[in-house]
Amino acid sequence: NGQNSEVIVPEGVKTICSLAFYTTSSYNDLISKIVLPNSVENIYDGAFANLKSLKEININSNMKIHKEAFKGSLYEDKFKEFLKKNGE
């Protein structure tokens, strides 16, 4: 519909796999917010790569997040700051 979308990952999901949100579809260009449950333990490289509209995602220090998880996304710089704050 041309509006930014919110994606809510269901409780119980433990892993966000590589390229989980990658597609050649323009739909992913509309994802502006992703809500992750506390059950997420691992986020792999490229999971949120190239999401050009991603402005908000809840991550915490209990999650193991691979360094390239947000590569090419709008959120990449914010994630780098998160890594610095958490001694990564």
Side-chain angles (χ1 to χ4, degrees):
N1 64 7
Q3 296 180 358
N4 287 347
S5 299
E6 175 178 303
V7 174
I8 300 173
V9 177
E11 186 63 45
V13 170
K14 292 185 177 187
T15 299
I16 308 296
C17 296
S18 293
L19 307 176
F21 287 86
Y22 178 82
T23 182
T24 57
S25 166
S26 62
Y27 171 74
N28 278 0
D29 289 340
L30 300 176
I31 297 174
S32 61
K33 180 178 180 181
I34 298 176
V35 179
L36 299 175
N38 289 331
S39 60
V40 171
E41 298 170 354
N42 292 293
I43 300 175
Y44 288 97
D45 284 338
F48 304 109
N50 298 324
L51 292 181
K52 302 297 183 193
S53 296
L54 184 62
K55 296 177 185 158
E56 184 178 348
I57 185 169
N58 59 308
I59 55 177
N60 64 57
S61 59
N62 295 330
M63 296 175 182
K64 181 180 180 188
I65 305 170
H66 293 240
K67 291 184 180 183
E68 301 291 319
F70 295 95
K71 186 163 182 71
S73 76
L74 188 62
Y75 198 80
E76 187 173 17
D77 289 338
K78 289 181 184 179
F79 177 62
K80 287 177 183 175
E81 288 301 314
F82 173 83
L83 286 177
K84 285 179 188 175
K85 266 201 249 179
N86 289 286
E88 304 270 336

